[in-house]
Amino acid sequence: SPKREFRGAWIASVANIDWPSKPGLPAAEQQQQFIQLLDKLKALGCNAVIVQIRPVCDAFYNSKIEPWSHYLTGRQGEAPTPYYDPLVFMVDEAHKRNMEFHAWFNPYRALMDSKVNNNPPSHITRRHPEWTISYGGKTYLDPGIPEVREYVTSVISDVVKRYDIDAVHLDDYFYPYRVPGKPFGDAKTYARFGNGKSLDDWRRDNVSLFIAMLNNSIKQIKPTMKLGISPFGVWRNKSKDPDGSETHGGQTNYDDLYADVVLWMQKGWIDYLMPQLYWEHNHHAASFNTLMPWWYGHCYKRHMFYGLGLYRMTNARKGPWASAHELLWQMRDIREQCPNTGYCFYSATCFDKVRGPIKDS
């Protein structure tokens, strides 16, 4: 193994994907599950965890701004029993094992099911329904509203102020993935704030303004605080932009999620990028061996790490993911071709669900 290498795993809390195993467990059981998860990751050689602490404008920590998450306690707005602050606990346990703790926020997702709102009156969807847009069965905060960007920045900055986290981490959800034939309902916001820009440029600008503001805010609180983004694996296809990758991604960061992550790297607004390269070598539309060097060539003296699709192995009975070969090949390529970088596995509990041997490798 290289001496210096980021080796992380995502721990997803939304829908109880990784932790806790179900909502409403007693505090001691939640803590025991988290300790077991960390011990397993430490034994595998991981030196960082990326833990989702804000899945849907709610909190896995004691917040005066947003309610406790029902994925944690079983009821939105209800504190753990007996009481403890999971974020203090998780950060301490990670640091005891010399692991970095990256606090993962989902900036705009507000409801997993737009038809069901079990939130208390304090939730942002109750206080500011005019800030929300329902799309594809979920509800989102509208990134085009300046107060929304300020609100999300204040939520994240509050955590940076009060907790000993090592980084702020955002995933790929900025504007939502397109639903064919259905426009995202921000026409009124665009009419109000569009200022003569094309719709696409205005949306991209909204996300870029948020990233610049967030970076500025957290660096003012703690100059050493890292900001990392884990975007969808294709920035743009070469067919749309000569600087894009030789890929045929159906949706891309720039054109569909309105996330100009390359610009953010160029401007130094983020400290690391972790593109989600969940495809195998020689994939017909987005091959790992095309995308990995493409991203490395666009790091602009920032850190570049790679998100690897461990989950692809969980039910694979045939094809490239049916054995450990593909994942190990990807790790070898990263080490040989992109020195001083690293990778992160999605997601932590998949190590227990993979059929064949992987942990020993």
Side-chain angles (χ1 to χ4, degrees), residues 219-259:
K219 294 290 195 288
Q220 278 182 350
I221 299 163
K222 282 183 193 163
T224 55
M225 182 57 56
K226 290 181 287 216
L227 174 58
I229 311 271
S230 178
F232 178 70
V234 181
W235 174 69
R236 286 194 102 182
N237 297 313
K238 206 173 190 100
S239 56
K240 279 238 172 154
D241 187 322
D243 197 33
S245 51
E246 287 280 8
T247 48
H248 309 284
Q251 301 208 35
T252 68
N253 279 296
Y254 186 92
D255 297 293
D256 300 281
L257 304 175
Y258 305 102

Side-chain angles (χ1 to χ4, degrees), residues 91-134:
V91 170
D92 284 350
E93 290 298 326
H95 287 171
K96 271 184 208 169
R97 292 161 179 79
N98 296 317
M99 298 166 95
E100 286 193 1
F101 187 99
H102 294 223
W104 166 14
F105 299 82
N106 195 291
Y108 296 120
R109 188 172 59 205
L111 297 173
M112 282 297 279
D113 182 345
S114 51
K115 293 190 181 72
V116 181
N117 190 346
N118 294 323
N119 283 293
S122 62
H123 193 254
I124 198 67
T125 56
R126 302 280 193 205
R127 286 191 288 134
H128 286 287
E130 75 282 5
W131 286 3
T132 64
I133 294 172
S134 291

Side-chain angles (χ1 to χ4, degrees), residues 34-324:
F34 193 77
I35 284 170
Q36 286 171 348
L37 200 49
L38 283 193
D39 284 344
K40 284 177 184 173
L41 294 172
K42 177 78 180 168
L44 290 170
C46 286
N47 54 25
V49 284
I50 300 177
V51 184
Q52 191 173 32
I53 63 163
R54 184 190 188 249
V56 275
C57 296
D58 53 3
F60 270 65
Y61 57 94
N62 189 351
S63 170
K64 289 187 169 68
I65 308 171
E66 296 190 313
W68 287 100
S69 175
H70 75 277
Y71 295 121
L72 182 74
T73 65
R75 280 190 67 185
Q76 203 79 341
E78 200 170 274
T81 45
Y83 177 79
Y84 78 113
D85 188 325
L87 189 48
V88 171
F89 167 77
M90 293 190 291
V91 170
D92 284 350
E93 290 298 326
H95 287 171
K96 271 184 208 169
R97 292 161 179 79
N98 296 317
M99 298 166 95
E100 286 193 1
F101 187 99
H102 294 223
W104 166 14
F105 299 82
N106 195 291
Y108 296 120
R109 188 172 59 205
L111 297 173
M112 282 297 279
D113 182 345
S114 51
K115 293 190 181 72
V116 181
N117 190 346
N118 294 323
N119 283 293
S122 62
H123 193 254
I124 198 67
T125 56
R126 302 280 193 205
R127 286 191 288 134
H128 286 287
E130 75 282 5
W131 286 3
T132 64
I133 294 172
S134 291
Y135 184 74
K138 294 182 174 67
T139 297
Y140 302 89
L141 299 181
D142 183 348
I145 299 172
E147 290 86 353
V148 164
R149 301 194 290 267
E150 286 162 15
Y151 171 74
V152 178
T153 300
S154 74
V155 168
I156 298 172
S157 299
D158 170 58
V159 172
V160 171
K161 256 189 211 117
R162 295 192 295 119
Y163 293 92
D164 189 23
I165 62 170
D166 300 295
V168 167
H169 181 91
L170 305 179
D171 55 19
D172 51 330
Y173 290 97
F174 294 101
Y175 279 84
Y177 285 86
R178 283 187 201 265
V179 178
K182 292 198 174 160
F184 186 67
D186 59 354
K188 279 186 188 164
T189 317
Y190 176 52
R192 189 172 162 205
F193 297 111
N195 208 15
K197 293 189 174 96
S198 75
L199 177 64
D200 285 10
D201 284 344
W202 171 74
R203 284 177 175 168
R204 269 187 291 275
D205 198 38
N206 293 332
V207 183
S208 292
L209 283 168
F210 163 63
I211 296 296
M213 186 196 324
L214 176 63
N215 181 56
N216 189 40
S217 175
I218 66 176
K219 294 290 195 288
Q220 278 182 350
I221 299 163
K222 282 183 193 163
T224 55
M225 182 57 56
K226 290 181 287 216
L227 174 58
I229 311 271
S230 178
F232 178 70
V234 181
W235 174 69
R236 286 194 102 182
N237 297 313
K238 206 173 190 100
S239 56
K240 279 238 172 154
D241 187 322
D243 197 33
S245 51
E246 287 280 8
T247 48
H248 309 284
Q251 301 208 35
T252 68
N253 279 296
Y254 186 92
D255 297 293
D256 300 281
L257 304 175
Y258 305 102
D260 191 358
V261 294
V262 169
L263 174 75
W264 309 341
M265 292 287 270
Q266 288 169 331
K267 296 279 190 188
W269 292 340
I270 51 180
D271 300 292
Y272 73 80
L273 204 60
M274 190 181 281
Q276 298 173 13
L277 301 194
Y278 296 162
W279 305 280
E280 64 270 15
H281 282 77
N282 307 318
H283 183 276
H284 63 95
S287 84
F288 179 85
N289 37 312
T290 298
L291 285 163
M292 184 201 64
W294 186 91
W295 283 107
Y296 193 62
H298 291 78
C299 62
Y300 305 103
K301 297 182 181 175
R302 308 270 103 187
H303 287 291
M304 184 68 68
F305 309 131
Y306 296 93
L308 303 183
L310 175 68
Y311 75 96
R312 299 286 306 274
M313 294 177 66
T314 52
N315 293 309
R317 294 176 184 276
K318 58 181 185 181
W321 297 98
S323 76

